[in-house]
Amino acid sequence: MFPLQRGRRLRVNESIRSLVRETSLSPSDFMFPMFIAEGENVKVEIPSMPGIFRRSIDLTVEEVKELFDLGIRAVNIYVKVSENLKDNTGKEAWNANGLMQQAIRAIKAACPEMIVMPDVALDPYSIYGHDGIIKNGDVENDSTVDALVKMAISHAEAGADFVAPSDMMDGRVLRLREGLDAAGFQNVGIMSYSAKYASAFYGPFRDALDSAPREADVVVPKDKKTYQMDYANRIEAIKEALSDVEEGADMVMVKPGIAYLDIVREIKNTVHVPVTVYQVSGEYAMVKAASERGWLDHDKIMMEQLMCIKRAGANLISTYFAKEAAILLKK
């Protein structure tokens, strides 16, 4: 009770504030999403994501080594698939010599201790830009899950430490766990995108991979709302996370990040596995755009947002700011 208790005593200077600080950040809290392109010595900046590039495998490997030296211990990788390899089956996704599989092998060979979590979804491989197989005008759940199991096993064979299903199909975590175990990959983990919302924050990411839903000569859903979650819902996110844990997920993810911190805290309070939060491309792009115009202090906003995500309950933050934040923390 005032005046016996004065909260400002614990805020007098930075030394005191650091002593009582409840949340801290380190580079090992971050996972860096990476986009991989065909070719050699390829480095193409994504216009809507300043500072983020599609890199060929050789340059990706060099970047991974830099990230590891900064203390970052995980990468989440995505591939830009050539148009001639796309169809409605996604079969290129489990090609043992596909771009993703080559990238996993190269990263693990060059930096064995880096944790590699490849994306498991069919949208980069789909002629329709959807996360699964189109049948009768919709994304057909069970045949898509069959394809995802093949995809995940091929990632495990290439050396992935975790697979990261981002598709939001029903029952896919159980089927992935069963498939990986049957193939002898009991120690390959699953980081499930459990609460992935149908969000407008994904726009720049879809530019990076050309993975937005497309016009087609058959009936296809115009968006991803039949499988990604309604952003008006909270209880549904808890249900999805609990279901994924019961099916064998080793980690669960909430996506997007900053606008969904209430969901992060709810899930953190409910499950007993690590919680990953994806600070997505649109969230990144907004900070970049505002700071370029001088409206915000880039580094201060970057660190504040990352700290808030961690404070909300994230054990791991997948963020395009990972490298910049790690460099700042090293200083």
Side-chain angles (χ1 to χ4, degrees), residues 122-132 210-214 224 227:
L122 296 185
D123 49 331
Y125 303 89
S126 169
I127 52 172
Y128 303 123
H130 275 285
D131 290 43
D210 190 22
S211 61
R214 307 176 179 189
K224 302 190 177 187
Y227 45 101

Side-chain angles (χ1 to χ4, degrees), residues 43-255:
K43 183 179 178 182
V44 179
E45 188 171 35
I46 299 160
S48 54
M49 300 175 69
I52 300 299
F53 300 85
R54 286 193 293 263
R55 292 179 171 87
S56 51
I57 291 175
D58 54 332
L59 298 187
T60 297
V61 165
E62 295 307 310
E63 181 75 353
V64 166
K65 291 177 182 177
E66 290 185 33
L67 295 171
F68 194 84
D69 288 343
L70 286 168
I72 295 168
R73 294 294 179 260
V75 291
N76 188 203
I77 58 176
Y78 304 83
V79 291
K80 176 70 168 65
V81 179
S82 299
E83 286 296 317
N84 65 307
L85 296 175
K86 297 182 180 184
D87 62 14
N88 189 37
T89 71
K91 63 181 181 296
E92 178 63 19
W94 55 90
N95 177 0
N97 292 313
L99 183 59
M100 177 68 87
Q101 290 78 3
Q102 292 180 48
I104 295 167
R105 288 193 291 268
I107 293 169
K108 293 302 291 185
C111 192
E113 293 181 63
M114 180 64 86
I115 302 302
V116 179
M117 302 192 189
D119 179 60
V120 175
L122 296 185
D123 49 331
Y125 303 89
S126 169
I127 52 172
Y128 303 123
H130 275 285
D131 290 43
I133 296 168
I134 300 296
K135 186 176 181 180
N136 298 326
D138 196 10
V139 176
E140 209 284 317
N141 193 92
D142 294 4
S143 61
T144 295
V145 172
D146 290 340
L148 298 176
V149 172
K150 296 176 187 176
M151 185 180 186
I153 291 172
S154 78
H155 292 175
E157 289 171 342
D161 300 282
F162 282 75
V163 294
S166 64
D167 56 285
M168 289 298 288
M169 298 297 113
D170 292 335
R172 90 275 206 211
V173 173
L174 177 60
R175 292 288 308 283
L176 289 172
R177 186 68 274 156
E178 291 174 341
L180 288 167
D181 288 356
F185 296 108
Q186 293 87 350
N187 291 329
V188 172
I190 299 174
M191 182 191 69
S192 175
Y193 289 57
S194 298
K196 181 179 180 180
Y197 285 85
S199 172
F201 283 107
Y202 304 151
F205 176 95
R206 291 174 182 169
D207 291 343
L209 292 185
D210 190 22
S211 61
R214 307 176 179 189
E215 295 291 331
D217 55 359
V218 298
V219 177
V220 298
K222 65 179 181 179
D223 53 38
K224 302 190 177 187
K225 292 181 179 179
T226 67
Y227 45 101
Q228 294 179 359
M229 286 178 47
D230 184 342
Y231 57 70
N233 293 354
R234 176 182 60 86
I235 295 172
E236 184 184 14
I238 300 170
K239 173 187 168 186
E240 290 284 351
L242 285 171
S243 176
D244 284 358
V245 172
E246 289 172 359
E247 290 181 15
D250 301 283
M251 303 185 199
V252 296
M253 177 185 276
V254 177
K255 182 182 180 182

